Amino acid sequence: MLIIDAGGTALKIWKRSQKGALRCLKRVAGNFNVQINSHAPLLKTLTELQDMLQSDTILLGLAGLSDEVQKHNLQHALQRLNALKGKTLRLMNDWELQLELHFPNQDGMVAILGTGSVFAAKVDERSVRVGGYGRWIGDRGSGIAIGMAAILHYLRALDGFFEDEAFCRIMRRHFKDREETLRKVYQEQLPVQNLAPAVIRLAAKGNPTAHAILESEATAVAEFIGLLRRKVSRPELVLKLCGGLVEKPNHYRDMIEKAVCTKAG
């Protein structure tokens, strides 16, 4: 079985071994969120990668896939591709895919923290989701949330609300002044999630502004996880942190794990 995970910053192709281990075969950078972009980038990329899609069954998870009409239309478009003809295609959204990957035969819970965020659990073959409101309404704990908070703090520092030269020095690598900041955000649609790794590295060095940004987001993540546990009435449910921000050990992941232990019980 091949597994395709298409999110806001990349599309990844995975293969599961007979023993259940996952191996990443390919990563393609790009925004494949079908709520933000059309599904054209997805179709184009799958066509270009058709030589890799050598499996009878393909599991495809898409960020932003939210309703049955959208799912039906996309399924129809995908099955017209030469790369997918004759194959069994299981189409689902990103949180359903992560539950399938990490808890194929058991109950469990995932917190997906990448470009966006969403929190979901599977209990007794029933799925429950909270959060995942989208970048403009709020994807707390995500790269976009961290990036937007960093920009807000930078503008407030430029206005004189507080001083933090180390933080402003990092931000000046992206925006030289107030005018450029506003232009890049509003006119150029800057991918603000790209700021998150720098904020995480700065927080790990003890910077107070970066730490405050991550602390706020980690607390919000813990609140969503706590809500999810109450909804499914399973406080002991195993939690898996997923997504580009937390898939590897880092300072932000440590902060989230601490916040979950103290606030999401």
Side-chain angles (χ1 to χ4, degrees):
M1 175 192 293
L2 282 182
I3 298 152
I4 301 175
D5 182 8
T9 56
L11 178 146
K12 300 175 185 177
I13 299 179
W14 301 81
K15 187 171 185 178
R16 191 193 294 276
S17 71
Q18 291 183 347
K19 294 183 178 180
L22 289 172
R23 179 167 64 96
C24 186
L25 304 179
K26 184 73 174 179
R27 183 185 189 278
V28 179
N31 187 347
F32 298 92
N33 186 308
V34 294
Q35 220 35 300
I36 298 168
N37 280 339
S38 68
H39 52 240
L42 174 69
L43 301 179
K44 179 176 182 292
T45 300
L46 292 179
T47 298
E48 292 171 350
L49 298 177
Q50 61 180 327
D51 290 344
M52 298 192 66
L53 307 181
Q54 302 301 314
S55 176
D56 292 334
T57 302
I58 295 177
L59 196 61
L60 175 57
L62 285 171
L65 188 62
S66 59
D67 62 69
E68 288 303 314
V69 173
Q70 183 186 45
K71 184 176 180 180
H72 173 79
N73 292 338
L74 183 54
Q75 181 100 19
H76 186 65
L78 287 165
Q79 292 186 322
R80 291 202 307 267
L81 292 180
N82 287 332
L84 298 176
K85 283 183 177 177
K87 301 181 185 298
T88 299
L89 178 66
R90 295 179 57 198
L91 182 61
M92 58 188 66
N93 57 47
D94 52 348
W95 59 268
E96 289 173 324
L97 176 65
Q98 293 301 325
L99 286 172
E100 178 75 16
L101 289 180
H102 299 291
F103 304 103
N105 301 305
Q106 66 184 95
D107 295 342
M109 178 188 307
V110 293
I112 306 174
L113 304 168
T115 300
S117 67
V118 67
F119 310 87
K122 181 177 70 171
V123 175
D124 299 329
E125 300 183 355
R126 176 176 65 98
S127 296
V128 179
R129 179 189 68 174
V130 297
Y133 308 139
R135 63 171 60 199
W136 303 127
I137 302 174
D139 271 348
R140 294 303 303 271
S142 69
I144 286 176
I146 293 171
M148 291 299 292
I151 290 170
L152 176 59
H153 280 73
Y154 179 51
L155 290 171
R156 287 176 61 83
L158 291 179
D159 276 346
F161 279 100
F162 69 97
E163 294 183 1
D164 188 336
E165 178 54 29
F167 178 77
C168 288
R169 185 166 59 248
I170 293 295
M171 295 297 290
R172 280 195 296 270
R173 296 176 183 175
H174 303 274
F175 320 100
K176 65 181 180 181
D177 54 27
R178 171 193 174 99
E179 288 69 29
E180 184 177 62
T181 305
L182 296 176
R183 174 173 55 79
K184 284 189 173 182
V185 170
Y186 287 110
Q187 297 180 28
E188 299 180 14
Q189 304 275 316
L190 177 85
V192 297
Q193 65 269 20
N194 292 347
L195 300 172
V199 175
I200 294 171
R201 289 192 296 269
L202 197 58
K205 295 178 181 178
N207 179 265
T209 304
H211 178 82
I213 291 170
L214 296 190
E215 186 173 47
S216 175
E217 296 306 317
T219 298
V221 168
E223 289 172 349
F224 274 111
I225 292 169
L227 172 63
L228 195 54
R229 285 177 171 167
R230 292 193 296 275
K231 278 181 170 287
V232 299
S233 302
R234 292 280 298 276
E236 82 290 354
L237 206 61
V238 174
L239 170 68
K240 176 70 176 180
L241 297 178
C242 314
L245 286 183
V246 293
E247 62 188 4
K248 296 180 180 178
N250 61 43
H251 185 68
Y252 183 43
R253 182 183 176 114
D254 292 342
M255 291 181 70
I256 290 172
E257 289 175 343
K258 181 178 179 181
V260 169
C261 287
T262 58
K263 301 178 185 299

